Amino acid sequence: MFYWKIDDDTELRLLEERHAETAFALIDQNREHLWTWLPWARPGYSLEDCQGYIKQTLQRLADNNGFDVAIFYRGQMAGQIGYNSIDWPNRVTEIGYWLGATFQGKGLITVACRALLDHAFYELKLNRVEIRCAVENSRSRAVPERLGFRQDGILRQVEWLHDRFVDLVVYSMLAGEWPHLRQS
Ligand SMILES: CC(C)(COP(=O)(O)OP(=O)(O)OC[C@H]1O[C@@H](n2cnc3c(N)ncnc32)[C@H](O)[C@@H]1OP(=O)(O)O)[C@@H](O)C(=O)NCCC(=O)NCCS
């Protein structure tokens, strides 16, 4: 099965059904932290929801339409990252991610994104990778900015978040830009 060692402490493992209880426990411990920006992490989110999500992500992999991996830090599940979908005719994908609160500040998402960018451009031969973040989600915005993504623009009131529409910033990295930027 898919397994990707990033460094001595960090590895990416394909999110599978056997991970459901661990993933649910992590989400459960981080409900408020996640719910702020990810409406699916709602108060009623259950183990069955988590199992259903994992099934769906494995179906995405079978359909060649993206996948999710769990990030493990020193043997503990720390969060998730993945390609939300792949637009093959246009060779575009979008990366989504989250971490448990105590795993923030270690660069885990930044290094995992770097690995997914390598995979997107060198293995999948995609041309464009997007990251979309709520304008006010400064921690999330810092990830593409740190990696050298370009800000394409702002989609106004494109997402319903709890009780209001929020604007999303769209960042992109192109295949032609990455070889230069990944060194820096
Ligand atoms: C968005 C989110 C994943 C960002 O987490 P994060 O820990 O800030 O991001 P990274 O894992 O890339 O870590 C970067 C931090 O680690 C530090 N760091 C340490 N070692 C590092 C390294 N080798 N490389 C890069 N950064 C490193 C950075 O300085 C930065 O810390 P700072 O914010 O204090 O400057 C997290 O806040 C989260 O899960 N939020 C809730 C869900 C969410 O918003 N998801 C995104 C929706 S669009």
Side-chain angles (χ1 to χ4, degrees), residues 2-177:
F2 183 92
Y3 171 92
W4 198 336
K5 189 169 167 61
I6 292 194
D7 57 37
D8 286 346
D9 290 328
T10 317
E11 59 194 41
L12 307 181
R13 297 183 198 161
L14 183 69
L15 192 62
E16 295 176 84
E17 279 153 322
R18 67 193 168 93
H19 293 127
E21 290 193 0
T22 313
F24 176 69
L26 182 63
I27 292 163
D28 201 32
Q29 286 154 19
N30 285 280
R31 244 172 236 268
E32 244 175 79
H33 158 68
L34 297 175
W35 190 65
T36 307
W37 298 113
L38 302 170
W40 56 259
R42 66 193 190 287
Y45 186 87
S46 66
L47 175 59
E48 290 70 34
D49 289 326
C50 188
Q51 287 164 331
Y53 179 77
I54 294 175
K55 274 204 181 101
Q56 187 196 315
T57 177
L58 289 171
Q59 188 58 50
R60 261 195 289 135
L61 177 67
D63 295 342
N64 201 17
N65 190 30
F67 57 83
D68 275 13
V69 290
I71 302 168
F72 280 81
Y73 179 71
R74 298 185 177 168
Q76 274 189 291
M77 192 185 288
Q80 289 170 27
I81 186 166
Y83 305 123
N84 293 343
S85 61
I86 299 178
D87 171 356
W88 284 105
N90 295 306
R91 300 201 164 265
V92 179
T93 191
E94 182 190 344
I95 293 180
Y97 44 70
W98 61 266
L99 281 178
T102 56
F103 295 99
Q104 294 177 115
K106 302 178 193 305
L108 295 178
I109 290 293
T110 300
V111 299
C113 259
R114 204 171 271 133
L116 261 65
L117 285 163
D118 280 346
H119 184 72
F121 293 133
Y122 301 136
E123 302 294 326
L124 303 178
K125 309 287 184 202
L126 299 179
N127 182 55
R128 173 182 162 96
V129 176
E130 288 183 4
I131 294 180
R132 295 176 177 217
C133 316
V135 167
E136 292 167 3
N137 190 350
S138 48
R139 277 203 95 115
S140 186
R141 292 183 63 170
V143 174
E145 288 172 7
R146 194 178 290 120
L147 288 164
F149 278 63
R150 184 92 69 85
Q151 182 177 318
D152 287 340
I154 292 178
L155 300 175
R156 295 181 307 143
Q157 299 195 1
V158 72
E159 186 176 290
W160 178 256
L161 188 67
H162 311 313
D163 56 358
R164 65 194 194 282
F165 289 109
V166 293
D167 297 348
L168 294 187
V169 193
V170 181
Y171 293 95
S172 65
M173 177 70 72
L174 303 181
E177 297 166 342

